[in-house]
């Protein structure tokens, strides 16, 4: 979903090609998104994993590659139909490792029936890549819509984080989004404010998150 134009637009980078992702290294860019639609084979693989009741919460920390994909396949609820999903996760992990010049990637693929982080917040790490394979995708706030004094642990004296509810943005299913956090040197006060949306009753999300290093 394309964000509404505002004075904050210089802090975002959206495109349909992978070349948009390195823009996260630019000063001032806090969100870089490669917009994509899942192809039919991948969509079928995702649906197969969500067709039953078995939850998925898979973790990997190490080098991307064949061993990683094989480990994921073993853990999928429907491994016989999961090849396209494992391959896609592998390609994303390899791209992440290349972009950040690291041999180690932390990966988590999980199903969610509720909001994992329902409150708007900022990550304390440098950067994270997220993509939603099914269900509502992550939401984020342009800077003009954020009251940063409200961030952190809830307290009655804190103001609302959202200064303009109409400005809440949502990524699209399949989008590859790099979110710059407050752990990025030079970005300590400007980490992207985001949250996990609440799925509808009976709906499940399939969320992938990757951290370099």
């Amino acid at each position: 979903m394309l964000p509404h134009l505002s004075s904050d637009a210089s802090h975002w980078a959206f495109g349909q090609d992978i070349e948009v992702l390195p823009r996260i290294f630019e000063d001032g860019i806090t969100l870089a998104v490669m917009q994509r639609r899942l192809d039919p084979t991948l969509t079928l693989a995702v649906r197969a994993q969500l067709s039953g009741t078995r939850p998925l919460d898979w973790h990997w920390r190490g080098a991307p590659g064949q061993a990683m994909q094989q480990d994921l396949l073993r853990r999928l609820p429907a491994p016989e139909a999961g090849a396209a999903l494992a391959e896609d996760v592998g390609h994303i992990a390899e791209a992440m490792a290349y972009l950040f010049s690291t041999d180690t990637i932390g990966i988590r693929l999980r199903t969610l029936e509720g909001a994992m982080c329902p409150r708007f917040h900022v990550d304390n790490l440098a950067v994270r890549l997220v993509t939603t394979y099914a269900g509502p995708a992550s939401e984020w706030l342009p800077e003009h819509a954020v009251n940063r004094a409200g961030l952190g642990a809830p307290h009655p004296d804190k103001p609302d984080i959202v200064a303009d509810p109409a400005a809440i943005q949502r990524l699209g299913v399949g989008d590859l989004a790099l979110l710059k956090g407050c752990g990025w040197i030079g970005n300590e006060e400007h980490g992207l404010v985001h949250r996990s949306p609440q799925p509808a009753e009976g709906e499940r999300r399939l969320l992938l998150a990757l951290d370099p290093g």
Side-chain angles (χ1 to χ4, degrees):
M1 165 175 155
L2 283 170
H4 305 303
L5 293 177
S6 78
S7 59
D8 301 315
S10 61
H11 300 299
W12 321 320
F14 280 75
Q16 297 182 348
D17 198 281
I18 198 168
E19 276 76 14
V20 72
L21 295 181
R23 292 201 59 195
I24 199 67
F25 290 100
E26 297 178 19
D27 292 340
I29 294 291
T30 57
L31 175 67
V33 181
M34 176 185 164
Q35 297 169 301
R36 64 171 190 159
R37 294 184 177 218
L38 305 183
D39 66 51
T41 302
L42 179 53
T43 298
L44 287 174
V46 169
R47 288 177 181 170
Q49 311 314 313
L50 299 175
S51 62
T53 58
R54 179 183 157 194
L56 172 64
D57 191 356
W58 173 76
H59 300 259
W60 175 271
R61 185 168 183 82
Q66 197 63 35
M68 183 215 73
Q69 292 188 42
Q70 290 174 351
D71 187 75
L72 173 56
L73 275 173
R74 287 193 294 269
R75 295 282 302 278
L76 289 175
E80 72 285 351
L85 177 58
E87 183 177 345
D88 192 65
V89 173
H91 287 160
I92 295 170
E94 288 171 0
M96 190 80 162
Y98 177 81
L99 184 61
F100 291 96
S101 301
T102 180
D103 294 326
T104 302
I105 298 290
I107 310 172
R108 188 172 191 181
L109 180 67
R110 64 183 304 195
T111 51
L112 297 163
E113 295 184 1
M116 181 173 62
C117 300
R119 180 177 165 85
F120 276 107
H121 65 282
V122 174
D123 290 334
N124 289 321
L125 42 72
V127 67
R128 171 169 286 163
L129 186 147
V130 298
T131 188
T132 302
Y133 285 110
S138 300
E139 295 176 341
W140 59 280
L141 286 172
E143 190 61 31
H144 79 272
V146 178
N147 188 339
R148 288 186 178 266
L151 293 171
H155 190 279
D157 295 334
K158 283 189 173 182
D160 290 338
I161 298 170
V162 183
D164 181 5
I168 295 174
Q169 304 291 319
R170 177 174 287 182
L171 298 167
V173 171
D175 287 353
L176 304 181
L178 283 171
L179 285 57
K180 191 180 284 183
C182 60
W184 187 287
I185 296 174
N187 197 63
E188 291 83 357
E189 305 300 324
H190 303 286
L192 187 78
V193 178
H194 62 284
R195 71 177 177 187
S196 296
Q198 178 65 49
E201 186 175 352
E203 184 181 33
R204 284 197 292 170
R205 299 178 71 205
L206 182 59
L207 177 68
L208 175 71
L210 301 93
D211 302 331

